[in-house]
């Protein structure tokens, strides 16, 4: 019997409070990537964008690795009905940087 695959995804978002999941932060829309290098570039682009805007909020920006539960019909239904957190098996912040916007 074949088992359902799990996915490894990466996301980049502002992290305003410790313990907060990056993908749940409403201040920055979540963007998901299959590749860590693409996610890292998005993190650097977001930092440059924030610095250019001179946003006074000097929050952290995080790069997070997410592993999903096996992608089954039940998992897809949970995703649709309960949101992304319903299919997260494990997650870890693998890098944080300051947005560097505060003078």
């Amino acid at each position: 019997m074949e088992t359902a695959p799990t996915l490894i995804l990466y996301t980049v978002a502002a992290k305003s409070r410790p313990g907060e999941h990056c993908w749940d932060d409403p201040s920055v829309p979540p963007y998901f990537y299959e590749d860590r290098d693409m996610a890292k570039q998005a993190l650097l682009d977001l930092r440059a964008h924030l610095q250019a805007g001179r946003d006074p909020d000097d929050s952290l920006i995080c790069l997070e690795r997410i592993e999903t539960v096996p992608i089954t019909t039940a998992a897809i239904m949970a995703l649709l009905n309960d949101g992304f957190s319903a299919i997260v098996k494990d997650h870890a912040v693998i890098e944080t940087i300051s947005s560097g916007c505060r003078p």
Side-chain angles (χ1 to χ4, degrees):
M1 180 179 201
E2 189 175 323
T3 60
T6 62
L7 303 175
I8 301 297
L9 306 171
Y10 298 90
T11 188
V12 174
K15 186 170 179 77
S16 57
R17 291 180 297 282
E20 183 178 86
H21 301 305
C22 290
W23 64 83
D24 287 333
D25 184 346
S27 67
V28 177
Y31 295 100
F32 297 96
Y33 304 89
E34 290 183 63
D35 179 83
R36 181 181 176 158
D37 292 335
M38 289 175 61
K40 175 67 181 258
Q41 186 58 52
L43 178 134
L44 296 173
D45 292 347
L46 176 58
R47 181 176 188 230
H49 176 75
L50 292 172
Q51 286 177 327
R54 305 303 296 167
D55 186 336
D57 179 22
D58 191 21
S59 63
L60 294 177
I61 305 169
C62 70
L63 175 61
E64 186 160 344
R65 180 186 182 275
I66 300 167
E67 181 180 357
T68 68
V69 298
I71 302 302
T72 62
T73 300
I76 297 299
M77 294 304 297
L79 170 66
L80 295 172
N81 291 323
D82 302 322
F84 185 75
S85 294
I87 65 164
V88 174
K89 176 181 176 183
D90 192 29
H91 62 90
V93 174
I94 56 176
E95 186 170 347
T96 59
I97 63 170
S98 169
S99 64
C101 296
R102 191 168 281 156

